[in-house]
Amino acid sequence: MKARIGVVAYQGAVSEHLRALERAGAEALPVKWPRDLEGLQGVVIPGGESTVIGDAMQTWGLLDALREWVRDGGAVFGTCAGAILMATEIKNGKPDQPRLGIMPLTANRNGFGRQVDSFEADICVRGIEGSAFRAVFIRAPYFEVTDPEVEVLAAVDHKVVAARYGRHLATAFHPELTDDLRIHRLFIEMATGGQKNPG
């Protein structure tokens, strides 16, 4: 039976994530309303503008519903802006910016610079086998990790760009913009595996 993974569908590379998840072997569904969470094992929050996505999630009632769904064991994967929304602390964001706050790390918005500073890099990612992963960074954040329960999976220039916390996954880069499905497969395994979320 296929894993059922949702993609928050307000902004960002929604279709790219849906396509990658399907190619990786999951049933992928767009998520806008709280009712869309029913029956899902994982949810992806794509990149875009973290303040816009957070505001939309709050307006549509998804923010609180997603927190409750996470408490019941749901797994979340955030890329770029989506990862920022997962962080408990956000630097260079709006003070009252809506967020999920489900990963105990600090996200530095635009940590690698603005749009013109976007880049690609071959990185080693813990948890995936084979060659280096070609990571696409677009106005990317980086993460500060101090909680011992957060596992650092990858770094660029000593800045954390991928981390895991229980069944949650955060990447500063955009795996959906490549043909490499290993990150999506990793999340599907996390969402369907036995490991629980801390706390």
Side-chain angles (χ1 to χ4, degrees):
M1 189 172 177
K2 287 186 175 182
R4 299 181 82 241
I5 308 293
V7 179
V8 175
Y10 302 127
Q11 189 195 53
V14 176
S15 60
E16 288 86 350
H17 272 297
L18 290 169
R19 187 161 52 247
L21 288 163
E22 292 278 358
R23 288 178 59 217
E27 179 186 358
L29 304 158
V31 172
K32 287 187 176 180
W33 297 96
R35 64 174 178 265
D36 297 333
L37 296 172
E38 187 174 345
L40 298 181
Q41 292 152 300
V43 167
V44 176
I45 308 175
E49 175 54 57
S50 61
T51 53
V52 172
I53 297 172
D55 286 342
M57 290 172 71
Q58 190 169 58
T59 299
W60 291 57
L62 189 61
L63 203 61
D64 288 338
L66 197 51
R67 285 197 195 99
E68 184 175 343
W69 177 84
V70 164
R71 284 194 290 270
D72 290 337
V76 179
F77 172 23
T79 61
C80 198
I84 292 170
L85 290 169
M86 294 172 70
T88 51
E89 185 179 347
I90 302 172
K91 287 186 178 177
N92 303 318
K94 293 181 180 178
D96 57 348
Q97 176 173 348
R99 74 196 69 174
L100 275 175
I102 57 173
M103 282 188 77
L105 50 76
T106 298
N108 289 266
R109 288 181 79 238
N110 301 329
F112 286 96
R114 298 184 176 275
Q115 191 84 18
V116 295
D117 301 306
S118 300
F119 65 98
E120 296 184 16
D122 291 321
I123 62 174
C124 294
V125 182
R126 290 184 66 182
I128 66 171
E129 296 180 352
S131 59
F133 191 94
R134 187 68 175 175
V136 179
F137 294 85
I138 303 173
R139 289 180 60 200
Y142 68 85
F143 313 124
E144 297 173 25
V145 175
T146 56
D147 192 305
E149 291 195 83
V150 177
E151 181 184 4
V152 174
L153 302 183
V156 172
D157 295 333
H158 306 292
K159 295 177 178 178
V160 177
V161 295
R164 175 177 183 166
Y165 179 64
R167 296 172 72 197
H168 302 321
L169 178 64
T171 66
F173 52 91
H174 293 265
E176 76 283 2
L177 298 183
T178 75
D179 292 326
D180 193 331
L181 301 175
R182 288 178 293 170
I183 300 288
H184 285 88
R185 288 193 180 114
L186 172 64
F187 178 63
I188 292 169
E189 291 172 8
M190 290 169 57
T192 56
Q195 184 174 353
K196 296 181 178 180
N197 296 321

